[in-house]
Amino acid sequence: LHWFSSLPQIGFLFMPLAYSFLGVIPIRASLGDLLFFFLPYYLAQFTVFAWLNLRSLSLLLSTVYSLVLVFPLGATVVQVLLRPFSSGFKVTPKGTTQDRYRFNWRLAWPLVVMLGLTAVSLGLNLRQSAIAAEDGLLNLGWIWATYNLVMIAIALLILLDVPQPDRYPWFALRRTVRLTWGDRTFWGITTRISESGAEIALTQNNQPQLLPDQPALVTVTIMEAELQLAAEISQLDPSGEWATAQLNWLSLSLPKQRQLIELLYCRPGQWPSRQTPGELASLGLLLRTLLRPRALARRYRPPAMPVSQT
């Protein structure tokens, strides 16, 4: 029955449009009615939703996520009822590389249409609010339209895929490494590491003078794992307290690849227990996302996944 919840959610998106375009008031309520019936229910949801889900879900963040899929899921539910054995909704492929921004129009176009209709509805509902006030009623249309407008706008930002040049996840794992370049040896600490490469802060002042367009071949030894890998320095950033080297692993033998995977994924206790932000923190996060999307930053780089260092 959970899948049928997408149908009333679609109805709630259209509800403010009934106030403005059809002249219909689906919910006739005064301010006192709103405070008596709706406020306790919403406060209960706001305070206990994350607790009931063991801090794994946030009410506001879950609402935004459900908006992204509400129209495809609603259409799939109706389709399954009418044609149970036909093909249904297909999930967007994950784990692929891309070198540019991409917008998922297949999922976004119903939301884009709804965003435009809701924006027009908001203007019309603001006009009609004065008429409702004369009858001692509160016009919920403009409040509802404002809420839907903000949530749909944030949901559309989710459908913007940022450039993903590497399909492997990166981990914020710190390990002592030794770099051997010819007859010279340098020491450093990994700040980011993955199956495809690493970012190393060189903890010495006599850094090798390498240019980004002149890659150098080095041997990297991860001391704690006793793992030796061949790598290519693709970029060296001398700014900051320590120089930072970007490395790409060269062809790995199967035993070394398995050892690297064990270091990245298979350490006992490496996954820290994480909790969803509280509802107030989620609200602030959503507002910051709407006003200043991090994905549209000039130099956006997905953060490395935090893991235990032990």
Side-chain angles (χ1 to χ4, degrees), residues 17 87 129 134 136-137 157 200 208 231 235 246 250 270 275 304:
L17 307 185
S87 59
S129 61
E134 295 176 358
L137 299 176
L157 289 175
I200 298 176
Q235 185 177 359
Q246 302 283 346
L250 299 180
Q270 76 171 57
Q275 295 182 348

Side-chain angles (χ1 to χ4, degrees), residues 103-125:
F103 191 69
N104 194 329
W105 283 105
R106 187 172 68 88
L107 293 179
W109 74 263
L111 294 177
V112 171
V113 174
M114 185 58 63
L115 183 72
L117 293 175
T118 305
V120 176
S121 172
L122 176 60
L124 296 176
N125 278 315

Side-chain angles (χ1 to χ4, degrees), residues 4 7 75-84:
F4 287 88
L7 299 179
T76 301
V77 168
V78 175
Q79 178 182 335
V80 169
L81 290 176
L82 299 177
R83 300 172 59 192

Side-chain angles (χ1 to χ4, degrees), residues 263-277:
L263 171 68
L264 295 177
Y265 302 97
C266 306
R267 294 178 296 110
Q270 76 171 57
W271 307 109
S273 177
R274 304 185 67 185
Q275 295 182 348
T276 186

Side-chain angles (χ1 to χ4, degrees), residues 234-245:
S234 59
Q235 185 177 359
L236 185 70
D237 183 8
S239 62
E241 183 179 0
W242 307 109
T244 301

Side-chain angles (χ1 to χ4, degrees), residues 42 57 113 149 154 159 174 200 229 254 270 278:
Y42 192 79
L57 294 174
V113 174
L149 200 64
I154 297 174
L159 297 175
R174 294 184 176 272
I200 298 176
L229 303 172
L254 184 58
Q270 76 171 57

Side-chain angles (χ1 to χ4, degrees), residues 209-262:
Q209 300 300 317
L210 302 175
L211 298 178
D213 56 349
Q214 296 176 350
L217 302 181
V218 296
T219 300
V220 181
T221 303
I222 303 177
M223 306 303 295
E224 289 86 348
E226 298 181 355
L227 175 60
Q228 191 174 80
L229 303 172
E232 176 185 74
I233 298 181
S234 59
Q235 185 177 359
L236 185 70
D237 183 8
S239 62
E241 183 179 0
W242 307 109
T244 301
Q246 302 283 346
L247 282 73
N248 298 322
W249 306 131
L250 299 180
S251 55
L252 301 177
S253 64
L254 184 58
K256 290 187 176 182
Q257 185 180 17
R258 288 178 173 174
Q259 196 173 353
L260 178 60
I261 290 176
E262 183 178 351

